[in-house]
Every structure is written in C-alpha cells, then in structure tokens.
Amino acid sequence: MVTSRSTRPSWLSWDNYFVGVGGLVLGLCFGTCAALIAGPQHQIAAIALGVLAAICVLPALLRALGELSVWIRLAILLIGFALLLPAILVSGEVRDWAAERWEQTWK
C-alpha cells in the first residue's frame, strides 16, 4: 500500500499571515482613530489608542524586520564571497587564512 503525503502548506502559515495582516489593519484603525480624536480634551484617549495601535502592529513589524535581516545577511554573504573568491584563487596566503577560518568555524 502506497501512502501519499500532501505538499500543501500548513494552515499555520496562513494563520500567521492573517494574524499579521489583522494586526496591521487593527493598528491602522486604532492609529487613525487616535489621530482623529487627538485634541486638548481627548489627550488620554488618543494616547491610549496610539499605544493600542503600536501593540497591534508590533508583531507584524518584528516579523518583517526578522525576514529582512535574513535577506540582508544573505546579500552580504554573497557579496563577500564574490569579492573574496578571486583573492582565494590567486593568493596562497589568503587561501591559508580562509582555511584557518573554516576550521575555526567547525570547532
């Protein structure tokens, strides 16, 4: 009997997406309300709505920054590799340095 596995993505990935979008929408709504009621008589309410908006947006913002940092690290790694590869091919001293760094990485 052959069993097949689904290649469908997990529902958790969609759940995370909707939570992020929902947080952004709620943050936008609360922030807009805070801006609309801001005035001399409604300062405390505007501040409370602003804080609530920040709390709603914070998880999506942290997730976006985390994913952005991964892409930035990957770009730096590729640029460093492209710049160091010619030196490794030409210089024995740079090859020795790279070999030492590689060994230190796995210790």
Side-chain angles (χ1 to χ4, degrees):
M1 176 179 222
V2 177
T3 60
S4 64
R5 295 187 66 159
S6 173
T7 59
R8 189 173 61 113
S10 168
W11 66 272
L12 288 173
S13 62
W14 284 102
D15 186 42
N16 289 336
Y17 173 76
F18 288 128
V19 167
V21 171
L24 291 175
V25 169
L26 284 174
L28 178 67
C29 292
F30 288 135
T32 303
C33 290
L36 289 174
I37 68 168
Q41 298 168 346
H42 303 287
Q43 292 173 348
I44 295 174
I47 291 171
L49 283 173
V51 168
L52 192 58
I55 290 171
C56 289
V57 169
L58 191 63
L61 181 64
L62 291 176
R63 175 77 179 239
L65 289 175
E67 290 182 11
L68 182 64
S69 71
V70 169
W71 285 104
I72 290 172
R73 289 178 190 175
L74 182 61
I76 290 171
L77 179 70
L78 290 174
I79 290 169
F81 178 73
L83 293 175
L84 192 59
L85 184 62
I88 290 174
L89 293 175
V90 173
S91 173
E93 185 176 324
V94 175
R95 276 195 300 268
D96 292 340
W97 173 81
E100 289 173 9
R101 293 283 296 175
W102 181 260
E103 288 175 5
Q104 288 175 357
T105 301
W106 294 106
K107 286 185 179 182

